[in-house]
Amino acid sequence: WKAALAAEAAGDVDVERVLIQLQDETGEVLGSPFDVPLDISPDKLQLVCNALLQKEEPVPYLFFVKDAEVVSSLGSCVQELGLETEQVLPVVYQPQAVFRVRAVARCTSSLEGHTEAVISVAFSPTGKYLASGSGDTTVRFWDLSTETPHHTARGHTHWVLSIAWSPDGKKLASGCKNSQIFLWDPITGSQIGKTLTGHTKWITWLCWEPLHLNPECRYLASTSKDCSIRIWDTVLGRCDKILTSHTQSVTCVKWGGDGLLYTSSQDRTVKVWRAKDGVQCRTLQGHAHWVNTLALSTDYVLRTGAFEPATATINPQDLTGSCMCQHLQMNNYYTLLGEGHERLVSGSDDFTMFLWNPAEEKKPVARLTGHQALVNEVLFSPDTRLIASASFDKSIKIWDGKTGKYLTSLRGHVGPVYQVAWSADSRLLVSGSSDSTLKVWDIKKGKLNADLPGHADEIFAVDWSPDGQRVASGGKDKCLRM
Amino acid sequence: DHHERKRKKESREVHERSHKARKMIGLKAKLYHKQRHAEKIQMKKTIKMHEQRKSKQKDDDKTPEGAVPAYLLDREGQSRAKVLSNMIKQKRKEKAGKWEVPLPKVRAQGETEVLKVIRTGKRQKKAWKRMVTKVCFVGDGFTRKPPKYERFIRPMGLRFKKAHVTHPELKATFCLPILGVKKNPSSSLYTTLGVITKGTVIEVNVSELGLVTQGGKVIWGKYAQVTNNPENDGCINAVLLV
């Protein structure tokens, strides 16, 4: 490749040359500085990078000079920034996902069956099963290959407020407004084990323990309006620990990959607990109103577990072999984490979000302001580089995942945006709002990719399957659309 | 055996009360019956309440409608129906506010009060003519219809050209010529006839006041509302609507 560059250089002598130093995101340098013509394009830079890294398969990269992306050629970027060409220019490269998810464009089916509004929708970690909880107290399982109903799980006595798949995809936990938790088997649609009772008010969120900490998928954390968090042992069917410290309703819980539990509450705090002994480690304060939602940078990896999106096929398969799963999951987890720690974003009713490094310190890394109404949901992109926040001010804002810097706003909805979901390759974002439309946004361009109308009423829940093939949405009009 | 006796006495009390109520006569009985009636009503009410509680439990089993996800549960957003009614309320207010006058409500004058029947014909049997008994305004170029065909007679004595108009802020009164009758609150018939009663909105010539618009134009006509009964006083007193 050096010879190729030299040949090019020999061709046009007039073109300016500049010294660049390739660095990765953490600042580690790759090779030594070398000089390239100023009009080099990102494709050629990619070839160079791949050659230097000696990868077997070429990986696509994005290049940044001082946080400005190199789009057409290095020269134009340098000109815009007004940098000197005498010095060595640091060029940061970012690997992109090898696979590419196509944007969803049409509604393949509308699955009816629920007799009341659909409140929560979730794909299983492999993308094989789809479960939806609704106000008619049932949880329904849907067969994705034929897009028809598979099972109806009856047992709850009130609205099913939250559902959560276990990381191995073999169990589904659902919590209802009467503070009961049921466990279901997706293959037969029947209940596994006992009903977990103990909370006194409705269940707001459910979260399983990550696969790499325990391959059996035994422990489940649930939060409720009664200000407590309970850790349940699903094998024995009883409550293992009760964590009480919040003074108002707990809105969200996330189980981190290093055994820490993060909970957010309406008492304006986020608390960090050690899952092993239930001891509270830290309280993160700073919000001025209810904290509605939490997002961990490793959320996606913990959810999909050992499933590799690149190996997805049209027919999703089950996960087999728990030991292997555990290893795969651990590998995925640690590669994603890289050098740093898990980051946490909390969105609140005070129109702002905080970016925390909860394992290290009490002070937030950054405060993300800009929304004009309460923030309903925040989500890290699967590659943890971006944060998307959906708010009641009809816009979605994209922020940088490491520093919390504001990147762009996605406007288009005419009603409060309730939920968002990232595609597996972090290039697309789908959002559902109360104006009954779903919008697919292209993050690279910062623009709308596709508008998906069709729902008759507000959309309460949106999910993108981990293999990137389908998006499911459900809402007040009682029907689920794929 | 105190407890046994007490229990038995209490159970006998009911019968004794009933016996008393039946046998009592006179004023004492009246008072006693009244008291007993009130007690019985109270008892019936409590029994009904207890019964209601039993039946209410059945309704609680049904899951209520209006399922919302967890993030919307603690929020009391205005439902769409409420928003619509707010809009209607606002529209009504706007409509009502168009004519904000000093006398918003006046007594409506009936036809018998305002119009007097005039009998005509050889035998004074025909009764199709009417005479206006209130003060009225006829324009400058007014010419009567041929008297034989005139249905409404407006007597010259009751025709006025000028009104005493008070400026509400300046508290000064001017005698201004009337330009026309804008609206009589009792009936649109009176408006067309030009009948002026209390509460009528009239248009007056205010060029005497020397008012000028922002664009520099001279204002020469403004509305005023009549505040007295002109047929009783012999003059029209009005308040300028600014």
Side-chain angles (χ1 to χ4, degrees), chain A residues 30 42 62 88 107 150 176 193 225 237 243 252 260 284 314 319 334 341 345 347 352 355 364 368 373 382 394 404 446:
Chain A
L30 182 69
L62 280 183
V88 178
C107 176
H150 203 41
C176 81
K225 188 161 160 65
L243 313 174
C252 187
L260 286 175
L284 307 174
I314 295 285
L319 287 176
Y334 285 113
H341 292 259
V345 171
T352 65
L355 180 61
L368 287 56
K394 310 171 197 165

Side-chain angles (χ1 to χ4, degrees), chain A residues 119 135 137 157 159 161 177 202 225 266 292 349 374 376 418-419 457 460, chain B residues 60-76 80:
Chain A
I119 300 176
T137 76
T157 49
W159 310 339
L161 288 176
K177 196 160 189 284
W202 67 73
K225 188 161 160 65
Q266 281 176 4
N292 290 327
D349 258 23
L374 63 98
N376 202 41
Y418 285 153
Q419 292 221 322
D457 212 337
F460 287 144
Chain B
D60 280 341
D61 278 348
K62 238 176 75 175
T63 51
E65 286 193 19
V68 276
Y71 52 81
L72 289 178
L73 266 176
D74 280 326
R75 300 186 195 284
E76 287 162 10
R80 261 182 243 155

Side-chain angles (χ1 to χ4, degrees), chain A residues 70-139:
Chain A
V70 178
V71 179
S72 52
S73 79
L74 194 59
S76 54
C77 207
V78 164
Q79 241 177 7
E80 266 172 30
L81 292 172
L83 294 171
E84 274 188 12
T85 50
E86 303 289 318
Q87 295 173 334
V88 178
L89 266 179
V91 175
V92 178
Y93 64 87
Q94 268 185 11
Q96 299 276 284
V98 180
F99 59 98
R100 209 187 177 83
V101 174
R102 261 183 307 168
V104 290
R106 60 193 178 87
C107 176
T108 54
S109 64
S110 133
L111 305 166
E112 305 201 14
H114 279 296
T115 51
E116 277 284 337
V118 177
I119 300 176
S120 48
V121 156
F123 277 99
S124 78
T126 53
K128 183 159 186 195
Y129 305 107
L130 173 65
S132 62
S134 128
D136 64 359
T137 76
T138 60
V139 174

Side-chain angles (χ1 to χ4, degrees), chain A residues 155-311:
Chain A
H156 279 292
T157 49
H158 214 304
W159 310 339
V160 179
L161 288 176
S162 67
I163 56 178
W165 283 95
S166 67
D168 62 357
K170 297 210 174 85
K171 285 183 268 197
L172 175 79
S174 60
C176 81
K177 196 160 189 284
N178 268 339
S179 51
Q180 289 170 329
I181 303 172
F182 282 70
L183 292 160
W184 310 97
D185 177 17
I187 304 171
T188 57
S190 58
Q191 190 182 350
I192 303 174
K194 281 197 295 186
T195 309
L196 307 174
T197 50
H199 278 296
T200 50
K201 289 206 193 135
W202 67 73
I203 311 279
T204 53
W205 202 269
L206 291 168
C207 187
W208 288 87
E209 189 181 10
L211 194 65
H212 66 265
L213 293 174
N214 185 343
E216 276 179 36
C217 296
R218 190 166 169 170
Y219 290 101
L220 168 71
S222 69
T223 61
S224 149
K225 188 161 160 65
D226 66 3
C227 320
S228 71
I229 303 118
R230 280 175 191 250
I231 300 183
W232 306 87
D233 184 338
T234 54
V235 166
L236 295 174
R238 62 187 182 98
C239 180
D240 208 33
K241 289 183 198 63
I242 306 176
L243 313 174
T244 50
S245 176
H246 281 296
T247 50
Q248 288 208 349
S249 161
V250 189
T251 50
C252 187
V253 66
K254 290 278 152 116
W255 205 314
D258 43 6
L260 286 175
L261 262 169
Y262 309 100
T263 57
S264 70
S265 152
Q266 281 176 4
D267 65 1
R268 313 188 310 264
T269 61
V270 175
K271 290 190 195 265
V272 184
W273 314 74
R274 242 202 322 267
K276 243 182 286 183
D277 41 10
V279 165
Q280 187 185 336
C281 303
R282 250 176 228 105
T283 304
L284 307 174
Q285 289 176 329
H287 276 297
H289 209 312
W290 300 350
V291 188
N292 290 327
T293 173
L294 286 178
L296 272 180
S297 55
T298 50
D299 250 347
Y300 198 79
V301 147
L302 293 174
R303 173 193 171 186
T304 51
F307 173 66
E308 188 71 39
T311 60

